[in-house]
Amino acid sequence: MHPWIAKRTESFDSSGIRRVFDLAAKLDDPINLSIGQPDFPVPRAVRRACIDAIEGGKNAYSQTQGIAPLRMRLEDELRQTYNHSDREVFVCSGTSGGLVLAMLAMVDPGDEVLFFDPYFVMYPALVRMVGGVPVAVDSYPDFRIDCDRVAEKITDRTKMIIVNSPANPTGVTASREELKALAELAAERNIALVSDEIYSSFMYDEAFTSPAEFNPQTIVIDGFSKSHAMTGWRVGYVHGPKAVVETMVKLQQYTFVCAPQPAQWAGLEAMDVDLSAHIDDYRRKRDLIVEGLSDCYELTVPGGAFYAFPKAPGDSGAAFVEAAIARGLLIIPGNIFSARDSHFRISFAASDETLQRGIEVLRELA
Ligand code: PMP
């Protein structure tokens, strides 16, 4: 380790994902089912709004908490959806920015943060970055929320529970009952519940439910990256209890400063875009994957997001992924998202042709 590098950086690494990308770089027409973002373009009206903002001179810092029209629009929606007396919203630099600020605002060194395994890769890394202790709650084999398992992991140091539905990497959506039970457990034990709702637009079988419906103290983190295919534009938002939001805004002032202003205007426009055709298309892609693989893989049907998380044949997901990559198919080994090395992640945010080619290779490998 170079003497200048801080110790906190030693507690997590990015070698797993890098390894997949290194292998991928050697392929010339790969069947790429590894991408964590939509394959449709940013809607035209949203692109136009960003260009108009730039051309109209809206290029300076915005207020730390975000441009007023976007905040007011979000506030209106929140009032209609939740009508919580103690709920404020601010605009952050992508959902990732919101997650970083949530950790900085609420997790002290030694505090424990619970999340479900498999998990989004950032969760344990961010917890460690602020000196917290990541505590994974196993959710295999069906990736459901089991509150008894959560309760078993709660200690005097438990500060936060993170829930992510629809989930990366499984695509599994928690039921209303599961979210209600988790929301009530967090409230009873006075633990901060952080709900990462970045995939909330991508629901295929039922309407989206937020645990904030059942626990008014829930901190919700959402954004436009996935819903409007604008991952590079860095616009997210957070809503939650006033004291938490104010602390996060204070931290944003000294870190991200604000989300990019032109992209915030685009976010405002995005709220009027009808996404239903894209969602219908992704539901159909989900069905293609499920129909193509269910008879030869153990697979929990994803109810949302754009991922599926089948069990790999053999005893190593990582070894299976290497075999797939050797045949030109890019997928991600489950051990990047989990303490277990038994599954692999497919993204179905790809063209039908790519999906068909991927299914063929996976059927051969099964
Ligand atoms: N949460 C989850 C579960 C994700 O999958 C992602 C993106 N891969 C993010 C947060 C971050 O999204 P962004 O920072 O682009 O809003």
Side-chain angles (χ1 to χ4, degrees), residues 274-292:
D274 177 9
L275 295 169
S276 54
H278 288 310
I279 305 307
D280 289 346
D281 198 36
Y282 275 35
R283 180 185 299 103
R284 196 182 50 71
K285 290 180 191 293
R286 185 272 311 261
D287 293 344
L288 273 178
I289 287 286
V290 171
E291 278 157 26

Side-chain angles (χ1 to χ4, degrees), residues 36 93-97 99 120 122-123 164 166-168 196 198-199 222-226 231 234-236 307 345:
S93 201
T95 313
S96 306
L99 286 166
F120 174 45
M122 261 190 201
Y123 301 154
N164 171 223
N168 180 5
D196 178 347
I198 182 82
Y199 296 105
D222 203 335
F224 299 99
S225 278
K226 311 284 168 153
T231 50
R234 315 311 304 141
V235 194
Y307 307 112
R345 189 188 80 174

Side-chain angles (χ1 to χ4, degrees), residues 66-78:
I67 57 170
L70 177 55
R71 265 188 302 126
M72 278 157 53
R73 179 66 194 271
L74 289 164
E75 270 165 20
D76 275 352
E77 290 222 337
L78 296 175

Side-chain angles (χ1 to χ4, degrees), residues 235-250:
V235 194
Y237 53 92
V238 177
H239 49 97
K242 184 164 187 259
V244 174
V245 165
E246 281 181 351
T247 306
M248 290 174 74
V249 171
K250 177 170 79 173

Side-chain angles (χ1 to χ4, degrees), residues 34-45:
S34 73
I35 306 282
Q37 61 183 335
D39 71 326
F40 51 81
V42 178
R44 181 183 298 276

Side-chain angles (χ1 to χ4, degrees), residues 70-209:
L70 177 55
R71 265 188 302 126
M72 278 157 53
R73 179 66 194 271
L74 289 164
E75 270 165 20
D76 275 352
E77 290 222 337
L78 296 175
R79 207 170 304 117
Q80 284 170 34
T81 312
Y82 300 109
N83 200 26
H84 292 158
S85 55
D86 181 22
R87 182 155 294 271
E88 291 216 344
V89 63
F90 79 101
V91 182
C92 53
S93 201
T95 313
S96 306
L99 286 166
V100 171
L101 297 173
M103 297 294 160
L104 287 169
M106 289 180 275
V107 179
D108 276 318
D111 284 351
E112 294 170 7
V113 176
L114 269 55
F115 49 82
F116 297 90
D117 178 345
Y119 46 79
F120 174 45
V121 281
M122 261 190 201
Y123 301 154
L126 290 181
V127 173
R128 290 198 178 99
M129 221 180 275
V130 297
V133 180
V135 178
V137 178
D138 186 276
S139 73
Y140 289 84
D142 52 5
F143 317 121
R144 310 255 40 118
I145 291 176
D146 179 341
C147 275
D148 291 338
R149 291 193 198 174
V150 178
E152 270 170 28
K153 297 277 188 180
I154 293 177
T155 72
D156 292 346
R157 291 307 307 257
T158 308
K159 190 61 162 298
M160 179 188 283
I161 300 171
I162 308 174
V163 61
N164 171 223
S165 170
N168 180 5
T170 63
V172 170
T173 54
S175 70
R176 276 184 78 75
E177 293 69 32
E178 286 167 330
L179 291 166
K180 181 166 189 284
L182 185 71
E184 289 172 354
L185 177 65
E188 258 164 44
R189 307 294 290 264
N190 196 25
I191 296 167
L193 181 62
V194 170
S195 182
D196 178 347
E197 303 185 354
I198 182 82
Y199 296 105
S200 57
S201 304
F202 299 87
M203 292 287 295
Y204 306 126
D205 303 322
E206 49 198 81
F208 174 74
T209 301

